[in-house]
Every structure is written in C-alpha cells, then in structure tokens.
Amino acid sequence: MAGFPPGEDQLRDSIGFRKGKAVKLYYSPLACSLAGHIALEEAGVSFERESVNLKTKRTGSGDDFTTVTRKGYVPALVLDSGEALTENIAVLDWIASQYPALGAAGPLGRTRLLEALAYVSTEIHRSFKPMWHQSSDAEKAKASAAITSQLEFFADGLETDYLFGDKPSVADFYLFVMLLWAARFHVPVPAPLQALRARMAARPAVRIAMDREGLV
C-alpha cells in the first residue's frame, strides 16, 4: 500500500479517506488506466490488479477480458458488488467519490473535477491517436502541435503545485499519463507542466504503480 506510512490511520480519516472497498483494476501498461492505478495507490487501500493484453484481449491470468467488459479496453474497475465500471472519467470519478482527498474541494469541486477530466479525455487524450497508430509525419506533427496547445490551457492556469491546490487529484493523475505520453512521442510540454510531471513522478504512489506496470 502507498500514500501514507503505517500507523497514520487517524490522519487518513481526518483528511477525508473512507474505509477501502474491495475492487479489482484491469490495466494495460502505460495506457490511460495508469491514472486509476496511481489513484488507488494514493488512496492507500488494498486492491487487486491484473494486466490486460489489448491485442489478444487476454488478462495476465489467461482469462478472456471481454467477459469483464465487452468494450475490450481498459480501464475496467470491478467493484465489490461485482459490477464493472469502464471509461476513465467514470472510474476516476468513482475513486474520488470514495476517497474525497483525491477530488477537488468547494461547492463546485466535483463539477470542476469532471470538467478537467473531460478536457483531458476528449481533447488531449484523443489528440494522441495519430501517435499510437500508423500515421504520416505530417499528421503526427499536426497532432503534436495540437497537444502542446491543449496543454497550455492547464499550464496557463496552474497557480499551485497541482490542478486544485497543494495535493494531487485524480485529474492530475490523468494529466500525468498524458505528460508521459508527451515525453514518449517528443511532444513539447509547457514548463509549468514539466514541473508538475516531475512532482508527480517523485510521489511514492506513482513510483509503485509505474513499477507494477514495468515502466521504471
């Protein structure tokens, strides 16, 4: 478990963490599911995790992933009720609802969080599509310029260490994955977000999740 040292249960309760629920995360290394992986580690709860081969649709244990979700892609979060959540926004919103310290404070906190998650998902994430598929150099250059411009939206408004203050939210975790993708594909990143990426990379929960995914 990550997020808090042993023996700090009272501190964890005091900042809004609830007792952990039994969940299982299906992920693929460096996919957007890494955001949920980091979030669960940050929450400091025990959870199951299993990798998925997105080409074969087989899990690490050899099961057919399409029996978990017919969509066939990650993330998928199976709750203790047996229900499965899919789509990164929904998974991250659920995690933040269970562990409020990973959300955003204030009367519009959840709305602002969803606003940020939606922007990452529908704009930045989508813009990476040419990078992951066979595309021309011109298409990739156009995508790179679009991503840098979209990242500037967050960079221009970043006045604290993280998007919503001095502690990271699930939106920061999703944005961090996009920043990792930017590094992979040599997409220019505004200086404030380079600093955010470094802060995130230094967090114990991030290092644990990335190590579990074989990324470090």
Side-chain angles (χ1 to χ4, degrees), residues 137-202:
D137 289 343
E139 289 172 324
K140 291 181 178 180
K142 182 178 179 180
S144 178
I147 294 164
T148 299
S149 178
Q150 291 158 353
L151 290 173
E152 286 173 352
F153 171 78
F154 282 127
D156 291 344
L158 192 65
E159 298 178 350
T160 53
D161 281 352
Y162 300 101
L163 294 179
F164 296 103
D166 61 357
K167 296 177 182 176
S169 69
V170 292
D172 291 280
F173 306 148
Y174 197 176
L175 178 58
F176 174 67
V177 177
M178 298 299 100
L179 296 174
L180 291 179
W181 290 5
R184 178 187 178 97
F185 295 113
H186 308 290
V187 174
V189 172
L193 296 190
Q194 292 179 29
L196 185 149
R197 182 173 61 199
R199 281 192 292 274
M200 287 291 300

Side-chain angles (χ1 to χ4, degrees), residues 18-24 40 45-47 80 94 98-99:
R18 300 174 183 174
K19 291 183 178 179
K21 296 179 179 292
V23 298
K24 182 173 184 177
L40 291 170
V45 296
S46 296
F47 64 97
D80 54 0
W94 183 89
Q98 299 301 308
Y99 308 103

Side-chain angles (χ1 to χ4, degrees), residues 47-123:
F47 64 97
E48 293 184 71
R49 71 200 92 198
E50 188 162 356
S51 63
V52 178
N53 184 316
L54 296 178
K55 291 183 179 180
T56 64
K57 309 301 181 186
R58 290 286 169 181
T59 70
S61 60
D63 293 334
D64 181 358
F65 182 55
T66 61
T67 63
V68 178
T69 168
R70 289 186 296 170
K71 295 176 178 177
Y73 56 77
V74 294
L77 188 69
V78 179
L79 309 182
D80 54 0
S81 64
E83 295 178 274
L85 294 179
T86 61
E87 305 301 334
N88 221 20
I89 294 176
V91 168
L92 293 172
D93 176 60
W94 183 89
I95 294 172
S97 72
Q98 299 301 308
Y99 308 103
L102 300 181
L108 286 176
R110 185 184 181 198
T111 302
R112 292 300 187 192
L113 186 71
L114 290 172
E115 181 180 44
L117 289 170
Y119 184 76
V120 175
S121 180
T122 62
E123 301 299 326

